[in-house]
Amino acid sequence: MMDFSGKSVLVTGGASGIGYATAQLFLRSGADVVIADINQAGLASAAEKLATETGGKVLAVPCDSADPDSCTHLIDESVKALGKLDVVCNIAGVLANGPTETFADETWLKVLSVNLNGPFYISKRAIPHLLETKGCIVNVASVAGLVGVPYGAAYSASKAGVIGLTKALATEYSKRGIRVNAICPGHVITPMTAGGANFGPETDMELMTRLFPLTGKGSDPSEMAAAIAFLASDAAVNATGTILTIDGGQTAI
Ligand SMILES: NC(=O)c1ccc[n+]([C@@H]2O[C@H](COP(=O)([O-])OP(=O)(O)OC[C@H]3O[C@@H](n4cnc5c(N)ncnc54)[C@H](O)[C@@H]3O)[C@@H](O)[C@H]2O)c1
C-alpha cells in the first residue's frame, strides 16, 4: 500500500462512488482528507462512516463546485483545517444523456459547469497552495472525453475539456513543481450509472459486453481510487499530463 502519511488531500465528490473510494484509500494510506460535495446529507454521513472505518482525520466541507465563491470557501476551509494542500482530486461530476436536438440548453450548461468549470475553479484556487508543497492535481475525466458517445454531447464535451485542462496545466506548472494528471474511467459501478446508461435500445448486458470486452462488466470504484492514488504518489514523480485510461479495453479497439 502507498504511504501518504503527513499529506493533506482534498477530494471533491467525496459523498459517493469514486470520490468516496478515493477518500477511503487516502485515509487508509495515512493522509488527512477533506471531502467536499453538494449533497450535504450524503457528505455528513460519508465523513462519519470514513472516520469510523479508517480512524483517520476526515473533514466534510459542503461545496457546489460549479460556483466560484463556493470553491473559494472550500479551498480556504481546507487549508485552515489541514494547514496545507498536497493533493487535489477533482472528482465531482454529473451525467446527462439524451438526443441532441431536444437536449435542454440548461442541462448542457449544468454539465459543463459542474464537470469542467468546477475543476478549473478549484485548481485555480488550489495552485498557490500546491506551489508551496510541490503538490499535484488528479482530475477524473472519462473515456467519453476520448471517443464520441452517442447522446452524450454535453458529457463528452465536458470530459474532453477536462483532458485539455489537465494537459494545459501540466505544461504550465511542470517547471514550478506541480504535477497534473487525469484518469479516464470506462464504466464504473456507482450511483451515477445505477439507473443504466440510457444510450439506446441495448440491454445493460449487451452494452457492457460491447463496452467492456475484457471482463464484460464495469469496474469497482476502488480500481479508480488506486489509479488516482498512484498518480498522486511519489511513484509517479515523472508523470504529468498523463491521461490514464482504465476501461476494460473499451477504447483499445
Ligand atoms: N461511474 C462511471 O462509470 C464513470 C465513468 C467515467 C467517469 N466518471 C466520472 O467520475 C466522477 C465520479 O462519478 P461517480 O461515478 O462516482 O458518480 P457519483 O454520482 O457516485 O458521485 C458524484 C458525486 O459528485 C457530487 N456532485 C455532483 N454535482 C456536484 C457539484 N456541483 N458540486 C459538488 N459535488 C457535486 C454528487 O453529489 C456525488 O456525490 C465524475 O466526474 C464522473 O463523471 C464516472
Side-chain angles (χ1 to χ4, degrees):
M1 183 179 284
M2 280 169 273
D3 184 9
F4 285 96
S5 304
K7 300 289 185 188
S8 299
V9 179
L10 168 62
V11 177
T12 74
S16 175
I18 298 169
Y20 182 89
T22 301
Q24 186 181 50
L25 181 52
F26 277 114
L27 284 161
R28 285 177 178 164
S29 308
D32 296 337
V33 175
V34 166
I35 54 172
D37 207 286
I38 200 168
N39 172 358
Q40 295 204 24
L43 186 68
S45 71
E48 202 180 313
K49 200 167 148 213
L50 285 166
T52 310
E53 235 175 56
T54 67
K57 178 176 174 181
V58 54
L59 289 106
V61 180
C63 172
D64 176 359
S65 58
D67 175 47
D69 292 339
S70 187
C71 293
T72 301
H73 176 76
L74 171 63
I75 298 299
D76 289 350
E77 288 300 304
S78 300
V79 173
K80 208 192 293 173
L82 304 179
K84 62 178 176 131
L85 271 181
D86 296 291
V87 180
V88 172
C89 304
N90 285 309
I91 304 181
V94 290
L95 173 69
N97 293 318
T100 297
E101 71 269 26
T102 53
F103 200 77
D105 294 341
E106 301 73 41
T107 311
W108 166 272
L109 283 176
K110 170 152 195 207
V111 172
L112 269 289
S113 300
V114 178
N115 293 2
L116 180 56
N117 295 357
F120 169 74
Y121 295 148
I122 287 170
S123 300
K124 172 183 161 172
R125 288 156 176 77
I127 280 169
H129 304 287
L130 295 173
L131 283 169
E132 285 175 18
T133 57
K134 306 288 182 216
C136 69
I137 297 171
V138 185
N139 295 321
V140 174
S142 168
V143 288
L146 296 170
V147 298
V149 177
Y151 310 108
Y155 189 74
S156 279
S158 72
K159 294 302 188 177
V162 171
I163 293 168
L165 175 68
T166 301
K167 291 185 176 182
L169 293 183
T171 57
E172 187 173 340
Y173 289 98
S174 59
K175 292 246 175 340
R176 297 169 74 191
I178 301 180
R179 297 184 301 106
V180 188
N181 295 293
I183 66 162
C184 282
H187 179 86
V188 187
I189 300 157
T190 70
M192 178 178 277
T193 51
N198 272 333
F199 289 142
E202 288 172 287
T203 64
D204 276 2
M205 188 49 73
E206 285 166 343
L207 189 69
M208 279 302 101
T209 307
R210 183 163 65 78
L211 294 185
F212 254 72
L214 184 65
T215 59
K217 64 185 174 90
S219 292
D220 186 83
S222 62
E223 298 170 44
M224 303 306 129
I228 291 167
F230 163 69
L231 288 171
S233 76
D234 291 343
V237 68
N238 270 313
T240 196
T242 299
I243 309 300
L244 178 55
T245 300
I246 304 142
D247 66 351
Q250 182 181 344
T251 53
I253 45 171

